[in-house]
Each structure stands twice: as structure tokens, then as C-alpha cells.
Amino acid sequence: MLTNLFSPLAIGPHELAHRVVMAPLTRMRASQPGNIPSALNAEYYGQRATKGGLIISEGSPVSLVGQGMPATPGIHTPEQIEGWQAVTDAVHSKGGKIFLQLWHVGRISHSSHQPDGALPIAPSAIAARGQAFTASFERVPFETPQAIDIDLISLLIDIYAQAAANAKQAGFDGVEIHGANGYLIEQFLQARTNQRTDQYGGSIENRTRLLLEVVEAVSKIWGSERVGVRLSPFGIANDSGEDDPLRLYGHVIRELNRLHLGYLHLIEPRASGAGQAEVDHKNVPSAAELFRPAWSGKLIVAGNFRPDTAEAALAAGHADAIAFGRLFIANPDLPERIRRGAALNPYHRPTFYGGGAEGYTDYPSLDDAMEAAE
Ligand SMILES: Cc1cc2nc3c(=O)[nH]c(=O)nc-3n(C[C@H](O)[C@H](O)[C@H](O)COP(=O)(O)O)c2cc1C
């Protein structure tokens, strides 16, 4: 029945056995001090791994400057690399694949996360509307960031490259560059957050430059076929949004198309709040349908998918694989449940961010549920 979801797919050199991908999901449960992936984190990812399945890790800050939320596991210290090694081992021991999501939040940070309490960096000194998450889990208004000096942009690209090399050392199978949801790369892409007058701002070509330079630097480490890029052309998360997304993202995707990436990962506009609320916008365009013609590589799509709509999107040729976020939080064995047409556990939003095992590693699999019933 779900023949498309359970047909094989090659992503670069990786032969996937099915197309039920785990979306990147920040859970704010890294061990402290040091934002280090823990044994509990390894258990969580191991539970969600399947033979030939693809997991994309939660966003992993490429540097302390790139961190915006407490207890998010970074990829810039030896201890973090070691912590991630246990995560990749847990996934590989079940025959799964895992990509690390390279994350820099830019202005969606707070000085409490920054070295020496400095202001966060961004393309331009424009504060986001809304509330930052401080290092002590408090919510306070965003600060006005400092515009990154042009001389420091090459350093920023080196930081991405180093993080990508660290991910390799930690045993990942590839990396995804987070270019979505209002974070640094998207802040450069979009006009409202990028009012620079140098070669990284102004025209669409200039605003796309940082993303392309990061892709190029990371591809040198991994080979482009092991690199993915995530974009949210119609997103509004973290005070983002572009007036003419078709024009901007048409250009971005055509440029990326020349680089032979492992995949492009798009978030659908009906989930424009990036899973932060129970929104399901109706009568909105489909990013997959709109941008597919500009993209000749593999396409992963996310955003409010259910098993039936996921199968339909694949059957219609709109995407090659579907990433599930919230359903994967609540269903450690999501691919198996979908395959069998089994009921899905509901997710519990209050335990999405922070805390311990509750709402993290204690959602039952079908086998657990059966044992409990016996
Ligand atoms: C708790 C939570 C954490 C998330 N963290 C990330 C993240 O680290 N990186 C990212 O690109 N998207 C993140 N997202 C967005 C999801 O990857 C996904 O695009 C969104 O939830 C819509 O998919 P869904 O309807 O299947 O949940 C997060 C969403 C949720 C609910």
C-alpha cells in the first residue's frame, strides 16, 4: 500500500531502505557543562534508528557564537565530538544513517551564550521580534545583534568547515547545512534581515553568497554528495520572512542545483511556524511542487505530513523522501508503525525542550506496548 514510502532511495553513496526520514529536532538535553551529547541522547537516537533509515540530527551549534538555546549539543569541542561518536555508534549499530545538522543561530542568540557576554552576530544590526532563550532557560526580548564585520566572514566559513570536519571525526554519514527557520544563513538570504551594502548584501546574488561559500567549504570536507541543505522558503519562524520568496529561492535553488548535493530539504509553508505551534495553514502553495522543477537532485520535504499524505506526495513525484518531526518525537519506531498501519502515539509538547528521559526516551514502541499488554 505504502509502496513509495518503503521503496529504496540512494542519497549520495548511501542506499536507504525506505523514505521515512527523521527531521532535525532540537531537544535541549545535552549534558552540562559544555553542551555535550550524553548517553541519554545516544539512547534516544538509537531508539529511532532503523536499518537503511536516515536520521538528521538536531541542530548542532558550529561554535559558541552560533549557539542560541541552552543545552543544545555543539560540534566544536573534543568532548562534544566524543559525545556524538556514541550517538553515531548507536545509530550505526542498528544499520541506520545519520547526518549532523550544522547550525548557527546568528541573531537568535543571547549574550548569555556568547563568549565574554558579547552581543550575538548577524548580517545587520536588526533585532528579531520575540524572545530569546537565555543560558539559564529564561525568556527575554532579543537584543540588537552586532553586524558581522566583512573581514570576519572568511573566519565564519572556516568555522563551518571545522565543524563539518568534526562531524566526520564523530562518525556521521554526512552533514546538513541549516539554511532555514530564521537562523544565520537565512538571515543573510532574506532582505529584511540583511541590509548590508557589501558583497554579502543587497542583490539576491549577494545575499546568497554566504550560503554558497559555506556549501563549497563543507563540500571540500565531505564531498558534495554527502552534504544536504535545508531551506524554508515560506517560513516565518524566528521573525523571518521574504516578500518575494519565489524570486529569492528560485535563484538559491538553481545555484545549489549546480553543486550536486546529496539532497535539498524543504519545509512546506503549511508548517511555516517550524513545528512551534499546531498550525496547519490551508490553501498555501507547496514548496515541493513549486521548486521541484528547479532541482534535479534528491528532494526531502517536511511539514505536517501524515503517513497517507506522505505516500501521496511521493506517488505524485513531488519529493523523494519525507521528513517527520513531531511524529518521530512520539514514535521511536515510526517507520515500522507506518509500514504496519499501526496507531501513532500522540506527542507531548511540554516535554519537547529540556528535561530528561520523560517525553524523550520513554515513548513506547509497538514492542513495548505489546509487552505491557501481556
Ligand atoms: C521540538 C522541535 C524542534 C525542532 N528543531 C529543529 C532543528 O533543530 N532544526 C531544524 O531545521 N528544524 C527543527 N524543527 C522543525 C522540524 O524539523 C520540522 O520541520 C517541523 O516540526 C515540521 O515537521 P512536522 O510537522 O513533521 O513536525 C523543530 C521542530 C520541533 C517541533
Side-chain angles (χ1 to χ4, degrees):
M1 278 159 352
L2 302 176
T3 47
N4 288 283
L5 276 168
F6 293 93
S7 65
L9 174 71
I11 297 253
H14 304 303
E15 298 291 337
L16 304 184
H18 62 80
R19 297 162 186 240
V20 180
V21 173
M22 180 171 163
L25 292 159
T26 289
R27 306 301 310 277
M28 295 185 1
R29 283 164 165 87
S31 74
Q32 300 304 328
N35 302 307
I36 301 164
S38 68
L40 185 68
N41 302 154
E43 183 188 344
Y44 160 82
Y45 281 105
Q47 286 176 340
R48 282 154 183 77
T50 49
K51 193 167 164 31
L54 176 63
I55 290 176
I56 303 161
S57 83
E58 62 205 278
S60 179
V62 295
S63 67
L64 208 50
V65 176
Q67 174 148 350
M69 276 144 235
T72 49
I75 186 70
H76 52 88
T77 71
E79 295 77 19
Q80 290 167 347
I81 296 172
E82 208 183 309
W84 280 120
Q85 181 72 63
V87 171
T88 61
D89 286 348
V91 172
H92 292 154
S93 72
K94 288 177 75 179
K97 304 282 177 197
I98 180 165
F99 277 42
L100 176 105
Q101 191 183 50
L102 294 167
W103 190 27
H104 193 307
V105 303
R107 68 177 186 158
I108 306 301
S109 184
H110 183 261
S111 48
S112 59
H113 299 289
Q114 300 290 315
D116 304 324
L119 286 170
I121 60 153
S124 300
I126 303 167
R129 290 170 296 182
Q131 291 192 309
F133 230 130
T134 70
S136 49
F137 283 80
E138 282 157 351
R139 305 306 302 255
V140 299
F142 283 112
E143 299 156 319
T144 302
Q146 38 177 334
I148 183 169
D149 194 288
I150 184 145
D151 298 335
L152 296 179
I153 289 190
S154 62
L155 186 67
L156 180 63
I157 293 164
D158 290 348
I159 285 170
Y160 270 95
Q162 183 60 54
N166 293 348
K168 201 168 202 182
Q169 204 188 321
F172 283 92
D173 300 294
V175 288
E176 175 176 290
I177 296 165
H178 196 341
N181 296 346
Y183 297 114
L184 183 74
I185 288 178
E186 194 177 79
Q187 290 159 30
F188 269 87
L189 290 176
Q190 298 190 346
R192 265 186 27 218
T193 37
N194 183 348
Q195 298 185 358
R196 299 177 74 89
T197 52
D198 57 22
Q199 68 262 39
Y200 290 92
S203 66
I204 281 182
E205 288 74 15
N206 282 355
R207 286 188 265 138
T208 308
R209 193 178 309 281
L210 178 74
L211 169 62
L212 296 178
E213 289 183 357
V214 168
V215 169
E216 199 186 328
V218 168
S219 296
K220 275 196 192 131
I221 309 280
W222 275 97
S224 60
E225 74 285 2
R226 288 178 170 83
V227 176
V229 170
R230 189 169 217 218
L231 300 173
S232 48
F234 299 90
I236 53 163
N238 293 309
D239 194 22
S240 63
E242 176 74 6
D243 291 341
D244 190 352
L246 280 183
R247 199 167 146 252
L248 170 63
Y249 286 93
H251 172 80
V252 171
I253 292 169
R254 280 192 301 276
E255 288 296 306
L256 290 174
N257 197 44
R258 302 208 295 228
L259 304 178
H260 307 292
L261 298 177
Y263 65 87
L264 174 67
H265 187 176
L266 294 177
I267 304 175
E268 285 293 353
R270 63 170 176 268
S272 60
Q276 300 313 304
E278 298 309 311
V279 291
D280 189 15
H281 301 294
K282 308 286 183 211
N283 304 319
V284 287
S286 154
E289 282 182 64
L290 280 172
F291 293 111
R292 180 112 210 187
W295 179 250
S296 49
K298 300 292 158 52
L299 182 61
I300 303 178
V301 182
N304 291 2
F305 279 100
R306 307 280 315 175
D308 57 337
T309 55
E311 175 65 19
L314 295 183
H318 297 156
D320 296 298
I322 306 294
F324 294 86
R326 288 164 284 183
L327 292 182
F328 240 123
I329 289 180
N331 294 276
D333 54 350
L334 184 64
E336 186 56 16
R337 282 178 189 257
I338 294 178
R339 203 179 59 76
R340 290 205 220 161
L344 302 179
N345 299 323
Y347 50 82
H348 182 236
R349 186 172 283 281
T351 50
F352 276 4
Y353 297 111
E358 190 199 346
Y360 190 55
T361 49
D362 63 353
Y363 284 107
S365 66
L366 285 173
D367 290 345
D368 296 335
M370 226 132 75
E371 265 173 44
E374 274 164 15

